[in-house]
Amino acid sequence: MTNRIKYPFFVFNPKSYLYGEELLILAKRADELALKYPECSILVTVPYTDISAVKDATKNIIVTAQHMDGIEPGRGMGHVLPESIYHAGARAVFLNHAEKPLTLAALAQSMKKAKAMGIKTIVCADSIDEARAIAVMGADVILCEPTELIGTGKTSDDSYVQQTNQAIKAIDKTILVMQAAGISTAADVYHTIKLGADGTGCTSGITNADSPIDMLTDMVEALMKAFKERGQKK
């Protein structure tokens, strides 16, 4: 499958909540949903050690790494080699997450390396100004997520969502905008997409749900419902 990220898109990012068999169960469900809704993209972000297993068990999702370093094969003890995650099956990567921030120089190097490898970049921005800077750098997706809202269940206010969308698109209309701060319910997903985001995602809202599989399903269905109601063509 191609690693082109279509919109709308949904990112299931279990961070370190899930691994091994539990992660595979959710990844397989995401794969089923990606097959059911081929007009959207579903990305699953997995720990490095699970990339290969998730890739082998799925066909329709975009397997995504949590981070990578802009290094070449050789020295780099403890670093994440781009060639390694690509070989394992990752075709997209998160960069500059609040839990793994990068200096501007390191971010630029990682983005350059990802582009050379054919790995799509989802780059996190904490503010509108940071989002503008990352748009100039040429990210494939910009995740606009105020750090203070991560994991709180409180979403970004409507004006922030709309302003960041507009600021990024004014620089490069081809960059996809992801809004995911505080997403914890299917209703949050629906509202965020209706506001104009190209995609959204969730972590603890799914992993801590009574039924993570049902929550994942409900969120993807809410994504598709909102997008269709927007009447927007891909």
Side-chain angles (χ1 to χ4, degrees), residues 26-179:
L26 269 296
K28 288 176 181 177
R29 179 55 181 154
D31 201 54
E32 293 170 353
L33 291 166
L35 180 62
K36 181 178 180 181
Y37 299 111
E39 62 270 41
C40 78
S41 288
I42 298 179
L43 298 84
V44 178
T45 308
V46 302
Y48 313 122
T49 49
D50 288 293
I51 291 173
S52 183
V54 171
K55 179 63 176 178
D56 289 345
T58 60
K59 294 181 179 178
N60 306 293
I61 61 173
I62 299 174
V63 180
T64 306
Q66 296 183 355
H67 168 76
M68 72 174 214
D69 296 298
I71 61 173
E72 300 294 332
R75 295 183 63 178
M77 183 71 171
H79 290 265
V80 182
L81 178 68
E83 282 83 355
S84 179
I85 63 167
Y86 188 92
H87 176 75
R91 294 296 180 268
V93 64
F94 266 81
L95 294 172
N96 199 43
H97 191 276
E99 297 176 20
K100 192 70 173 178
L102 293 171
T103 65
L104 184 62
L107 177 59
Q109 186 60 33
S110 290
M111 290 176 68
K112 179 181 178 181
K113 180 71 177 187
K115 185 174 183 179
M117 294 287 302
I119 297 173
K120 297 297 183 183
T121 53
I122 304 164
V123 185
C124 303
D126 181 46
S127 65
I128 294 175
D129 286 342
E130 192 172 20
R132 287 194 182 100
I134 292 169
V136 172
M137 294 170 71
D140 295 300
V141 178
I142 297 179
L143 168 52
C144 302
E145 188 172 59
T147 301
E148 66 270 16
L149 296 182
I150 295 174
T152 65
K154 181 181 179 182
T155 58
S156 300
D157 62 52
D158 291 3
S159 63
Y160 178 86
V161 172
Q162 292 166 341
Q163 288 172 22
T164 49
N165 287 352
Q166 293 166 4
I168 291 166
K169 298 293 185 179
I171 293 170
D172 188 340
K173 292 181 180 179
T174 68
I175 295 175
L176 299 179
V177 181
M178 178 179 174
Q179 303 278 357

Side-chain angles (χ1 to χ4, degrees), residues 10 183-194 200-202 218-220 222-224 226:
F10 186 83
I183 298 294
S184 58
T185 68
D188 292 336
V189 171
Y190 177 86
H191 182 68
T192 298
I193 298 302
K194 285 283 280 189
T200 188
C202 185
D218 290 348
M219 285 186 171
V220 172
L223 175 105
M224 293 307 303

